[in-house]
Amino acid sequence: MKKIISFNALRPVSDKAREVAIYSNNLLRDDERRERARKNPNSFAHVVKPKIDFADIQIPPANELMKYSKNYLQKLIEQGVLVNDNSAYFYIYRQQLHGHSQSGIVCCYHLDEYRNGKIKKHEHTREEKEKENVVHLKASEIQGNPVFLAYKGADAIDVFVFEIQQRQPLYDFISDFDVRQTVWAVSDKNEIEKLSSLLNQHVTESYIADGHHRAASMKLFSDEMKSSKQNHTGEEPYNYLFACLFPANQLKIFEYNRSVKDLNGNTEDELISKISEWFSVEITDAHFKPKDIHQFGMYMHQQWYKLTAKKSAYTNNPVDVLDVSILQEKILSPLLGIDDPRTDKRIDFIEGTKGIQALEKKVNKGKASVAFALHPVSMDQLFAISDAGEVMPPKSTWFEPKLMSGLLIYKMS
């Protein structure tokens, strides 16, 4: 049984792709998504976020909400907005943003690879979020947002993908956030067989870049389906994770910066004095964006500081050596009282794509007392942590561009 296979996609017709496809939750607030969907009846948001079509005081029970979602999907099919490809294809998905380009392969990846640790993770997931996702999977019987996976790359796959990209694409448009989205179908039978062979030969393991909750939820859903089927074979559609595989050398991880609302009772001088135990502290004339690991920028009261972690501040453990861990263990928790960054309302996270100026703005407007700029986690660090079976601190990585939801859809029925 092959672990990576092609699939029959449900997808937008070419001239509706930009209308249908949407970005994930962490790029749009619910009010923004609601407003956009209100103006666009073809948006996939009506299917995956059905709450947006109801006033907050009128949201129906979960079973009715899921029925509404499934009916809306069927309506998009009946109206010809979404169509089914007649055969199982692979798809090449290229994204381009500000000179950066990454090309992935959209496919289905057997969940046994997730169960046996060959699809590797580096984040904790929340049980309540997993269960919420399973409810939607049961009702809709689709996966509409591929899990973002990285693999260590293979020249033969890169050459194949490049050759496909010389042809006319299915989709080619500029989405929100100025990302050029281009998709090609690998539809020739011989080419499908060739790509299948290449993937199953060279992709021996992969790493979740984005989509930990989707992967965990799909595993739960698959387990439930397996237990309810008398003649389970392991090849049913619910046995596969919808995924997009990218070679790691094409991916870019951005830093995930932090700001804290107050100094936890410290004066500025007291905080700097305490920080000096674990870091060398230098005043800088301009903003400081870390150029190397174990360097941090700190902005407080219209002044930037360069912090450099002393060797005594970390160990060689793959998690402890991360800059996000050093910051958390030596400053945020002991000095600023941020013991659980997942739940503490005093800390905010600012993705590096917003620039160093976003930290200055936060402090200058009084929304934070101090902000920290970090060096991004590397792909090698992500691999090392995943290989060790460890997890990163929350909000450690920010991958961009993000994958769009609804551009290609995997049906499980």
Side-chain angles (χ1 to χ4, degrees):
M1 182 173 63
K2 293 180 179 178
K3 63 179 181 286
I4 302 173
I5 63 171
S6 55
F7 68 104
N8 292 72
L10 177 65
R11 60 180 182 82
V13 292
S14 295
D15 63 344
K16 300 292 184 183
R18 196 183 190 285
E19 294 179 34
V20 173
I22 61 170
Y23 278 106
S24 57
N25 295 341
N26 51 4
L27 287 178
L28 290 175
R29 301 192 311 268
D30 278 348
D31 58 338
E32 293 175 316
R33 197 182 299 283
R34 178 180 280 116
E35 180 61 20
R36 292 182 181 211
R38 185 183 64 82
K39 299 175 180 178
N40 176 16
N42 292 334
S43 171
F44 196 57
H46 298 286
V47 176
V48 293
K49 288 288 178 182
K51 287 182 181 180
I52 62 174
D53 287 347
F54 301 88
D56 290 339
I57 59 173
Q58 297 176 330
I59 295 176
N63 61 331
E64 294 183 22
L65 203 60
M66 293 303 101
K67 183 178 180 181
Y68 175 89
S69 171
K70 189 168 186 176
N71 288 342
Y72 207 103
L73 178 68
Q74 186 59 36
K75 182 174 75 170
L76 292 177
I77 295 171
E78 291 172 354
Q79 292 176 343
V81 175
L82 299 177
V83 294
N84 288 287
D85 278 338
N86 295 325
S87 299
Y89 303 150
F90 290 106
Y91 299 84
I92 309 302
Y93 182 9
R94 186 180 69 194
Q95 297 179 297
Q96 296 169 297
L97 175 65
H98 302 156
H100 172 74
S101 180
Q102 57 191 40
S103 295
I105 300 166
V106 185
C107 58
C108 287
Y109 207 137
H110 203 285
L111 279 158
D112 279 352
E113 298 297 293
Y114 181 82
R115 295 184 181 98
N116 64 24
K118 295 299 185 181
I119 298 176
K120 302 186 179 187
K121 52 193 176 183
H122 66 264
E123 286 184 7
H124 285 302
T125 53
R126 303 192 315 274
E127 185 179 359
E128 66 274 15
K129 180 64 176 176
E130 293 174 17
K131 290 180 178 179
E132 179 183 324
N133 288 348
V134 169
V135 170
H136 193 275
L137 288 167
K138 287 179 178 178
S140 65
E141 298 180 297
I142 61 166
Q143 296 179 62
N145 189 359
V147 173
F148 190 156
L149 297 178
Y151 68 101
K152 291 183 179 178
D155 290 343
I157 296 176
D158 292 344
V159 169
F160 181 94
V161 168
F162 177 79
E163 290 174 351
I164 297 295
Q165 289 176 336
Q166 307 315 301
R167 305 172 186 173
Q168 185 72 19
L170 285 177
Y171 309 128
D172 190 8
F173 63 92
I174 306 296
S175 68
D176 292 338
F177 310 107
D178 297 323
V179 182
R180 184 176 180 182
Q181 313 277 353
T182 315
V183 176
W184 293 263
V186 181
S187 55
D188 177 82
K189 182 178 179 181
N190 292 330
E191 289 180 335
I192 292 171
E193 285 298 320
K194 180 178 179 180
L195 183 53
S196 174
S197 177
L198 289 171
L199 290 171
N200 284 279
Q201 176 186 352
H202 292 290
V203 183
T204 57
E205 55 192 13
S206 61
Y207 299 79
I208 299 177
D210 195 13
H212 282 82
H213 278 95
R214 274 170 278 143
S217 302
M218 192 56 214
K219 186 260 184 188
L220 282 180
F221 173 71
S222 177
D223 289 346
E224 287 189 25
M225 294 297 291
K226 283 169 60 177
S227 64
S228 67
K229 300 289 184 181
Q230 291 183 345
N231 299 313
H232 172 78
T233 68
E235 297 186 11
E236 296 88 351
Y238 59 75
N239 289 290
Y240 290 90
L241 180 68
F242 187 41
C244 190
L245 280 162
F246 288 91
N249 61 1
Q250 293 185 18
L251 300 180
K252 186 172 183 179
I253 303 179
F254 292 88
E255 65 275 17
Y256 224 151
N257 299 317
R258 275 89 163 121
S259 69
V260 181
K261 290 184 179 178
D262 60 71
L263 301 184
N264 195 36
N266 295 287
T267 66
E268 293 174 16
D269 288 342
E270 287 171 341
L271 182 63
I272 291 172
S273 176
K274 293 174 181 177
I275 287 173
S276 298
E277 179 181 356
W278 300 106
F279 302 81
S280 64
V281 181
E282 304 172 48
I283 294 175
T284 63
D285 294 332
H287 66 252
F288 179 72
K289 182 177 174 64
K291 297 179 176 62
D292 204 350
I293 60 170
H294 306 337
Q295 294 180 350
F296 304 81
M298 181 175 73
Y299 185 67
M300 183 169 56
H301 198 224
Q302 297 187 330
Q303 178 63 58
W304 277 98
Y305 300 84
K306 175 185 176 182
L307 310 182
T308 304
K310 300 175 182 179
K311 289 186 177 179
S312 57
Y314 54 90
T315 71
N316 290 327
N317 176 281
V319 177
D320 293 343
V321 77
L322 292 177
D323 287 346
V324 286
S325 298
I326 297 169
L327 182 67
Q328 177 62 35
E329 296 303 320
K330 301 306 181 189
I331 297 180
L332 295 182
S333 178
L335 306 184
L336 296 176
I338 307 294
D339 295 324
D340 187 353
R342 293 182 183 86
T343 59
D344 199 312
K345 302 298 184 185
R346 296 169 51 238
I347 188 170
D348 284 322
F349 302 91
I350 304 99
E351 55 268 29
T353 52
K354 291 184 176 178
I356 205 82
Q357 294 78 12
L359 303 182
E360 292 182 346
K361 185 177 179 181
K362 196 97 171 173
V363 174
N364 292 343
K365 287 195 169 186
K367 295 181 179 180
S369 294
V370 62
F372 299 93
L374 288 82
H375 191 269
V377 171
S378 70
M379 287 301 301
D380 286 341
Q381 287 178 314
L382 186 151
F383 286 170
I385 288 170
S386 300
D387 288 341
E390 301 280 1
V391 295
M392 289 185 182
K395 308 291 186 182
S396 293
T397 59
W398 181 269
F399 285 88
E400 197 163 314
K402 300 287 187 185
L403 305 187
M404 298 201 81
S405 179
L407 202 52
L408 295 164
I409 302 164
Y410 173 49
K411 299 181 300 174
M412 297 183 291
S413 63

